[in-house]
PDB file of all heavy atoms in Angstrom:
ATOM      1  N   PRO A  49      20.428   4.498  10.181  1.00 89.00           N
ATOM      2  CA  PRO A  49      21.604   5.208   9.722  1.00 89.00           C
ATOM      3  C   PRO A  49      22.379   4.202   8.743  1.00 89.00           C
ATOM      4  O   PRO A  49      22.679   3.073   9.043  1.00 89.00           O
ATOM      5  CB  PRO A  49      22.494   5.312  11.001  1.00 89.00           C
ATOM      6  CG  PRO A  49      21.379   5.310  12.109  1.00 89.00           C
ATOM      7  CD  PRO A  49      20.341   4.373  11.690  1.00 89.00           C
ATOM      8  N   GLY A  50      22.738   4.766   7.573  1.00 88.00           N
ATOM      9  CA  GLY A  50      23.384   3.956   6.551  1.00 88.00           C
ATOM     10  C   GLY A  50      22.466   3.070   5.750  1.00 88.00           C
ATOM     11  O   GLY A  50      22.873   2.361   4.848  1.00 88.00           O
ATOM     12  N   GLY A  51      21.195   3.055   6.129  1.00 90.00           N
ATOM     13  CA  GLY A  51      20.140   2.384   5.415  1.00 90.00           C
ATOM     14  C   GLY A  51      20.140   0.905   5.628  1.00 90.00           C
ATOM     15  O   GLY A  51      19.413   0.119   4.884  1.00 90.00           O
ATOM     16  N   ALA A  52      20.810   0.399   6.671  1.00 93.00           N
ATOM     17  CA  ALA A  52      20.817  -1.092   6.888  1.00 93.00           C
ATOM     18  C   ALA A  52      21.296  -1.273   8.318  1.00 93.00           C
ATOM     19  O   ALA A  52      21.732  -0.428   9.004  1.00 93.00           O
ATOM     20  CB  ALA A  52      21.821  -1.726   5.995  1.00 93.00           C
ATOM     21  N   LEU A  53      21.060  -2.581   8.857  1.00 95.00           N
ATOM     22  CA  LEU A  53      21.597  -2.873  10.134  1.00 95.00           C
ATOM     23  C   LEU A  53      23.021  -3.134  10.028  1.00 95.00           C
ATOM     24  O   LEU A  53      23.529  -3.777   9.074  1.00 95.00           O
ATOM     25  CB  LEU A  53      20.886  -4.177  10.527  1.00 95.00           C
ATOM     26  CG  LEU A  53      19.351  -4.174  10.984  1.00 95.00           C
ATOM     27  CD1 LEU A  53      18.910  -5.562  11.196  1.00 95.00           C
ATOM     28  CD2 LEU A  53      19.223  -3.339  12.206  1.00 95.00           C
ATOM     29  N   LYS A  54      23.809  -2.563  10.945  1.00 94.00           N
ATOM     30  CA  LYS A  54      25.218  -2.730  10.938  1.00 94.00           C
ATOM     31  C   LYS A  54      25.710  -3.879  11.764  1.00 94.00           C
ATOM     32  O   LYS A  54      25.234  -3.994  12.927  1.00 94.00           O
ATOM     33  CB  LYS A  54      25.861  -1.427  11.551  1.00 94.00           C
ATOM     34  CG  LYS A  54      27.346  -1.378  11.366  1.00 94.00           C
ATOM     35  CD  LYS A  54      28.035  -0.193  12.164  1.00 94.00           C
ATOM     36  CE  LYS A  54      27.557   1.057  11.563  1.00 94.00           C
ATOM     37  NZ  LYS A  54      28.256   2.181  12.269  1.00 94.00           N
ATOM     38  N   ALA A  55      26.546  -4.753  11.264  1.00 94.00           N
ATOM     39  CA  ALA A  55      27.088  -5.852  11.956  1.00 94.00           C
ATOM     40  C   ALA A  55      27.969  -5.314  13.064  1.00 94.00           C
ATOM     41  O   ALA A  55      28.703  -4.351  12.865  1.00 94.00           O
ATOM     42  CB  ALA A  55      27.895  -6.741  11.027  1.00 94.00           C
ATOM     43  N   GLY A  56      27.857  -5.920  14.220  1.00 95.00           N
ATOM     44  CA  GLY A  56      28.670  -5.518  15.377  1.00 95.00           C
ATOM     45  C   GLY A  56      28.048  -4.314  16.183  1.00 95.00           C
ATOM     46  O   GLY A  56      28.692  -3.806  17.115  1.00 95.00           O
ATOM     47  N   ALA A  57      26.792  -3.973  15.883  1.00 96.00           N
ATOM     48  CA  ALA A  57      26.193  -2.804  16.518  1.00 96.00           C
ATOM     49  C   ALA A  57      24.918  -3.263  17.305  1.00 96.00           C
ATOM     50  O   ALA A  57      24.435  -4.350  17.087  1.00 96.00           O
ATOM     51  CB  ALA A  57      25.757  -1.729  15.463  1.00 96.00           C
ATOM     52  N   ALA A  58      24.400  -2.316  18.107  1.00 97.00           N
ATOM     53  CA  ALA A  58      23.146  -2.541  18.836  1.00 97.00           C
ATOM     54  C   ALA A  58      22.091  -1.504  18.448  1.00 97.00           C
ATOM     55  O   ALA A  58      22.493  -0.331  18.134  1.00 97.00           O
ATOM     56  CB  ALA A  58      23.375  -2.517  20.358  1.00 97.00           C
ATOM     57  N   TYR A  59      20.814  -1.928  18.485  1.00 97.00           N
ATOM     58  CA  TYR A  59      19.739  -1.060  18.235  1.00 97.00           C
ATOM     59  C   TYR A  59      18.653  -1.216  19.361  1.00 97.00           C
ATOM     60  O   TYR A  59      18.560  -2.219  19.970  1.00 97.00           O
ATOM     61  CB  TYR A  59      19.054  -1.375  16.908  1.00 97.00           C
ATOM     62  CG  TYR A  59      20.033  -1.172  15.737  1.00 97.00           C
ATOM     63  CD1 TYR A  59      20.966  -2.172  15.370  1.00 97.00           C
ATOM     64  CD2 TYR A  59      20.031  -0.033  15.011  1.00 97.00           C
ATOM     65  CE1 TYR A  59      21.856  -1.954  14.299  1.00 97.00           C
ATOM     66  CE2 TYR A  59      20.875   0.170  13.917  1.00 97.00           C
ATOM     67  CZ  TYR A  59      21.745  -0.778  13.611  1.00 97.00           C
ATOM     68  OH  TYR A  59      22.685  -0.584  12.612  1.00 97.00           O
ATOM     69  N   SER A  60      17.786  -0.170  19.532  1.00 97.00           N
ATOM     70  CA  SER A  60      16.865  -0.268  20.604  1.00 97.00           C
ATOM     71  C   SER A  60      15.409   0.007  19.863  1.00 97.00           C
ATOM     72  O   SER A  60      15.278   0.823  18.999  1.00 97.00           O
ATOM     73  CB  SER A  60      17.050   0.846  21.541  1.00 97.00           C
ATOM     74  OG  SER A  60      15.981   0.938  22.571  1.00 97.00           O
ATOM     75  N   VAL A  61      14.471  -0.827  20.284  1.00 96.00           N
ATOM     76  CA  VAL A  61      13.109  -0.670  19.841  1.00 96.00           C
ATOM     77  C   VAL A  61      12.206  -0.591  21.146  1.00 96.00           C
ATOM     78  O   VAL A  61      12.255  -1.383  22.003  1.00 96.00           O
ATOM     79  CB  VAL A  61      12.650  -1.951  19.019  1.00 96.00           C
ATOM     80  CG1 VAL A  61      11.169  -1.860  18.767  1.00 96.00           C
ATOM     81  CG2 VAL A  61      13.436  -2.089  17.757  1.00 96.00           C
ATOM     82  N   LEU A  62      11.454   0.531  21.060  1.00 95.00           N
ATOM     83  CA  LEU A  62      10.596   0.830  22.309  1.00 95.00           C
ATOM     84  C   LEU A  62       9.189   0.502  22.087  1.00 95.00           C
ATOM     85  O   LEU A  62       8.455   0.996  21.147  1.00 95.00           O
ATOM     86  CB  LEU A  62      10.749   2.307  22.611  1.00 95.00           C
ATOM     87  CG  LEU A  62      12.064   2.944  22.883  1.00 95.00           C
ATOM     88  CD1 LEU A  62      12.039   4.344  23.186  1.00 95.00           C
ATOM     89  CD2 LEU A  62      12.880   2.189  23.916  1.00 95.00           C
ATOM     90  N   GLY A  63       8.634  -0.444  22.848  1.00 88.00           N
ATOM     91  CA  GLY A  63       7.190  -0.674  22.965  1.00 88.00           C
ATOM     92  C   GLY A  63       6.447  -1.357  21.876  1.00 88.00           C
ATOM     93  O   GLY A  63       5.246  -1.126  21.702  1.00 88.00           O
TER      94      GLY A  63
END
Side-chain angles (χ1 to χ4, degrees):
L53 290 171
K54 185 189 297 184
Y59 298 82
S60 176
V61 173
L62 305 180

